[in-house]
Amino acid sequence: MQALIVGKAPTLMWAMPHLLSRSGFEVDAVTTSSLLCASRFVRDTCVTETPEAMLARAFEWIARRETPYDWVIACDDETLRSMSEMAWPAGREPAHFPLRVMGISHIYSKIGLSRVLAAEGLRTPPFRVAPGCVEAIAAANELGYPVYLKMDSSNGGKGVFLCHCEEDVRQLAECFNLGPMLVQKKIDGQELDLSAVYLNGELVHFAHASILRALPSSGLSILRRYSPLAMVEANVVSELQALGRALQTDGFVNIACMEAADGSGRYYFEADIRPNAWVDFSRFYGEDAATRIREWFATGTTLKKDTNAKLETCTPMVISYFMRMALWELMVNRYGVWRFIPWADRRVVLSLLWSRMVMPGTRTFVPKPIRHAVKRGMLALRIAFP
């Protein structure tokens, strides 16, 4: 089998080649980042200077290829939206790829997602759509503070603002120049990541993780507690199966929800059709997505909860993400982080660690032309000495 990954966000792409390779795929990549040139799990890498060139090359590789790819994956939201809107030749549409022409309104749209979830009877935080600041204040007063104001298309924690009063909303008036915003009631409780893999709308894999620690600036998680499937409530699986069918989704989906503190259940507020930075970490506690993906492509096997599993043999595991930890935490092996550095793609991981430790200083002290020249030189060495 053959897979193509496309994207401009190396933080969301670097783990994909190893995961797909274990799933039985030969992997090609079209990207604006040179990082994947270092991956031993990528067969062919095309690095472009601009996102526009990347999209053009991806279109060419998919539409003109003699043997179609078995799976095409956009690895960031902007790339997904652009590729979903392309005019693909009949019969040459990318495999297992959501397309807007199929009526999928929630692609890179928080407003679209909230509307679909509500229409399909899936629990989501109460919300309103506000075209301007006046309407947002009225909506927030109706829903009750605190509320989130969210730009319709944003990611990485950007474009999301917590508002405790009318003055907080007024200070965001200029944000409405970019379009309507989602006004969403804040739900108190435990944040969960239930990111999943769907194929033909059916649930193939998901990871159940409680968020224990996040970066204060962006909300991106650093520390998670993962639970094996045997420990997960059966209705969580049912909800995710219903979510996949409601969203008509294919591929990796970054799913977030809030387990309400008042016991009213889970409120789903995020379902981006792309992998996240934790896409390959569930294998550390024995829930390898690669095994389940390989079985689906071989036999069509979907995910079902094993009711005969012995709970006494199951233990949650706390896992830290090495790329988001402070340097001193890496040095002292805080949370046992060294156990969770995936060395299988050694050169990629070394490049990531190098950038994590060195690049903040070079951005401060080294001129931009010199930094780019060094990057080009490193890329040339990777190609010359694979």
Side-chain angles (χ1 to χ4, degrees):
M1 297 186 295
Q2 300 177 77
L4 176 68
I5 58 176
V6 186
K8 58 183 182 178
T11 55
L12 300 178
M13 296 183 74
W14 68 265
M16 291 296 293
H18 186 210
L19 169 57
L20 292 170
S21 178
R22 297 198 321 276
S23 303
F25 289 90
E26 293 181 320
V27 183
D28 294 335
V30 181
T31 176
T32 56
S33 169
S34 63
L35 178 67
L36 293 185
C37 294
S39 175
R40 68 187 184 93
F41 299 107
V42 178
R43 178 182 59 183
D44 193 2
T45 307
C46 175
V47 180
T48 65
E49 290 288 334
T50 65
E52 293 75 19
M54 176 190 73
L55 292 168
R57 183 56 60 90
F59 184 92
E60 179 182 339
W61 280 24
I62 296 166
R64 300 179 184 176
R65 184 180 176 84
E66 277 190 31
T67 305
Y69 285 105
D70 299 283
W71 197 358
V72 177
I73 303 162
C75 295
D76 61 81
D77 295 306
E78 293 91 345
T79 299
L80 171 69
R81 178 171 63 178
S82 297
M83 291 182 65
S84 73
E85 295 173 343
M86 287 180 173
W88 297 97
R92 305 298 296 183
E93 299 88 351
H96 301 294
F97 196 97
L99 299 173
R100 281 195 182 272
V101 295
M102 298 165 59
I104 302 178
S105 61
H106 55 86
I107 292 177
Y108 199 25
S109 170
K110 292 180 174 65
I111 293 172
L113 174 65
S114 294
R115 284 172 169 165
V116 171
L117 292 176
E120 295 294 330
L122 290 161
R123 192 181 289 110
T124 192
F127 69 95
R128 300 290 184 271
V129 178
C133 188
V134 173
E135 293 85 354
I137 291 172
N141 288 331
E142 180 184 354
L143 294 171
Y145 290 96
V147 298
Y148 285 106
L149 252 65
K150 299 183 177 182
M151 292 182 177
D152 189 35
S153 300
S154 64
N155 54 39
K158 300 175 182 177
V160 176
F161 311 95
L162 180 60
C163 299
H164 295 277
C165 60
E166 288 188 15
E167 182 58 31
D168 291 345
V169 178
R170 289 193 185 95
Q171 291 180 3
L172 299 171
E174 290 187 1
C175 294
F176 291 92
N177 294 335
L178 300 176
M181 294 183 72
L182 181 71
V183 185
Q184 192 176 70
K185 175 70 176 175
K186 181 180 184 293
I187 304 297
D188 292 323
Q190 172 64 61
E191 184 179 351
L192 301 177
D193 181 276
L194 301 176
S195 292
V197 178
Y198 294 93
L199 289 162
N200 289 352
E202 297 296 326
L203 182 63
V204 174
H205 166 81
F206 80 96
H208 184 287
S210 304
I211 309 302
L212 303 181
R213 180 184 164 200
L215 293 171
S217 58
S218 63
L220 298 175
S221 58
I222 303 173
L223 192 68
R224 297 179 169 192
R225 179 183 292 109
Y226 281 91
S227 299
L229 181 58
M231 301 184 67
V232 178
E233 298 175 39
N235 57 354
V236 172
V237 179
S238 300
E239 288 173 7
L240 291 176
Q241 290 169 335
L243 186 146
R245 290 189 286 269
L247 300 183
Q248 308 172 57
T249 194
D250 242 336
F252 294 85
V253 184
N254 174 49
I255 300 171
C257 69
M258 192 67 71
E259 184 87 56
D262 62 8
S264 57
R266 284 163 294 280
Y267 289 79
Y268 293 86
F269 61 86
E270 189 171 82
D272 303 319
I273 309 174
R274 58 161 174 81
N276 65 18
W278 298 78
V279 66
D280 201 22
F281 278 67
S282 60
R283 64 190 173 93
F284 286 115
Y285 65 94
E287 299 278 343
D288 195 348
T291 302
R292 293 170 178 169
I293 292 169
R294 186 169 59 248
E295 289 177 353
W296 187 89
F297 276 93
T299 63
T301 303
T302 57
L303 184 67
K304 294 180 176 60
K305 183 173 171 60
D306 183 2
T307 56
N308 296 319
K310 296 180 179 179
L311 287 177
E312 59 270 19
T313 64
C314 300
T315 306
M317 180 175 286
V318 175
I319 299 178
S320 48
Y321 185 41
F322 67 102
M323 282 299 293
R324 292 177 182 163
M325 299 183 72
L327 291 180
W328 73 265
E329 292 178 306
L330 282 173
M331 293 173 64
V332 302
N333 192 27
R334 194 178 188 191
Y335 309 121
V337 63
W338 296 350
R339 295 174 56 197
F340 308 115
I341 298 178
W343 290 108
D345 214 350
R346 180 173 53 86
R347 289 192 303 159
V348 167
V349 171
L350 287 173
S351 295
L352 290 168
L353 289 171
W354 172 262
S355 66
R356 181 72 183 83
M357 292 185 288
V358 177
M359 289 308 293
T362 61
R363 289 192 185 98
T364 303
F365 299 108
V366 179
K368 188 174 181 179
I370 296 177
R371 296 203 311 268
H372 285 189
V374 171
K375 284 182 68 176
R376 288 194 294 271
M378 291 176 65
L379 174 58
L381 286 173
R382 288 173 183 166
I383 295 173
F385 304 100

